[in-house]
Amino acid sequence: ETGVTQSPTHLIKTRGQQVTLRCSSQSGHNTVSWYQQALGQGPQFIFQYYREEENGRGNFPPRFSGLQFPNYSSELNVNALELDDSALYLCATLPGQGAGANVLTFGAGSRLTVL
Amino acid sequence: RKEVEQDPGPFNVPEGATVAFNCTYSNSASQSFFWYRQDCRKEPKLLMSVYSSGNEDGRFTAQLNRASQYISLLIRDSKLSDSATYLCVVNLFSGEDSNYQLIWGAGTKLIIKP
């Protein structure tokens, strides 16, 4: 177990609905990033948060939004779900300093199915 | 052209053999590079960072060629447990807008056969 917990592990939604995915950060990890991984593809970077501020974003539309809380846990929100949003959503944390400062620790992911 | 490209494979390799695969990247401003390993239906895990001088960790050797914009991974004396998908990751940081991005390849599938 990595210490990064994601919830829910699986969920099913319908087109047009909204979803919130959650990620708890490993102790001392102040940076969190989110990824979308479709079947047979590599992870696609959605965005990154550092100390509650977004400091990086990939090529995802504004209906993908996020939050990071003072305890460094995080949420990914997706509005107006589309069928193509079906994927595994991974969050990863970084300690940001010390040994392994650039080593991402991933959660096990939330598998979203949009019908 | 994709920003980070990998041969999807699969590479079918007999146990004990040496296997190598490359990853090319398009943005010359790329700053740091990594290889991750992902087992089926699991999350990615860091295999190794890739340094300019090249680096080795046991049976694994990673190289970076900035001039030709590729990184490589060499696995010697392959084991059955090396079967996985190997993902190449490139870190881009734009000082202009302080935007940080991690760009992932789609992965190379490796199957080690007894």
Side-chain angles (χ1 to χ4, degrees):
Chain A
E1 211 170 283
T2 64
V4 177
T5 305
Q6 291 188 242
S7 63
T9 54
H10 296 81
L11 70 165
I12 299 173
K13 292 282 189 177
T14 56
R15 269 189 310 176
Q17 285 190 309
Q18 178 266 344
V19 68
T20 297
L21 307 178
R22 296 181 175 84
C23 174
S24 71
S25 181
Q26 190 162 342
S27 177
H29 287 207
N30 56 20
T31 303
V32 65
S33 50
W34 284 90
Y35 302 83
Q36 180 195 67
Q37 187 173 25
L39 202 61
Q41 300 295 316
Q44 300 292 311
F45 176 69
I46 303 175
F47 43 57
Q48 176 170 286
Y49 280 80
Y50 170 68
R51 293 188 174 180
E52 304 175 57
E53 299 269 342
E54 184 182 294
N55 75 334
R57 192 172 182 94
N59 297 323
F60 279 80
R63 62 189 183 84
F64 286 77
S65 63
L67 280 174
Q68 186 182 31
F69 300 100
N71 67 354
Y72 302 139
S73 66
S74 176
E75 284 182 358
L76 164 66
N77 298 290
V78 187
N79 294 323
L81 283 167
E82 300 176 0
L83 297 180
D84 285 350
D85 295 334
S86 297
L88 179 68
Y89 288 84
L90 295 159
C91 86
T93 66
L94 278 171
Q97 60 184 4
N102 290 318
V103 177
L104 290 167
T105 300
F106 280 88
S110 293
R111 189 166 297 278
L112 171 65
T113 302
V114 182
L115 302 176
Chain B
R1 184 186 169 188
K2 290 182 181 176
E3 290 187 86
V4 175
E5 288 200 73
Q6 294 184 252
D7 182 338
F11 284 50
N12 290 286
V13 173
E15 193 176 6
T18 295
V19 60
F21 23 84
N22 287 343
C23 164
T24 58
Y25 60 95
S26 61
N27 193 324
S28 59
S30 302
Q31 297 184 333
S32 51
F33 310 86
F34 308 89
W35 283 104
Y36 276 73
R37 170 200 169 123
Q38 187 171 26
D39 293 294
C40 189
R41 302 187 78 82
K42 299 281 191 181
E43 70 276 15
K45 293 185 179 173
L46 179 69
L47 180 65
M48 56 200 305
S49 303
V50 187
Y51 303 119
S52 298
S53 54
N55 46 302
E56 189 174 309
D57 182 2
R59 298 181 293 109
F60 298 84
T61 301
Q63 298 276 354
L64 166 63
N65 186 318
R66 282 195 184 270
S68 301
Q69 295 185 197
Y70 73 87
I71 65 172
S72 63
L73 179 67
L74 179 81
I75 306 174
R76 288 181 298 278
D77 187 24
S78 53
K79 312 288 184 196
L80 296 176
S81 58
D82 294 335
S83 298
T85 295
Y86 290 83
L87 297 155
C88 159
V89 188
V90 171
N91 182 351
L92 285 175
F93 178 75
S94 167
E96 281 182 19
D97 56 5
S98 296
N99 190 51
Y100 165 97
Q101 286 197 69
L102 273 182
I103 313 295
W104 293 67
T108 296
K109 186 167 185 178
L110 176 64
I111 300 171
I112 306 296
K113 295 186 177 297

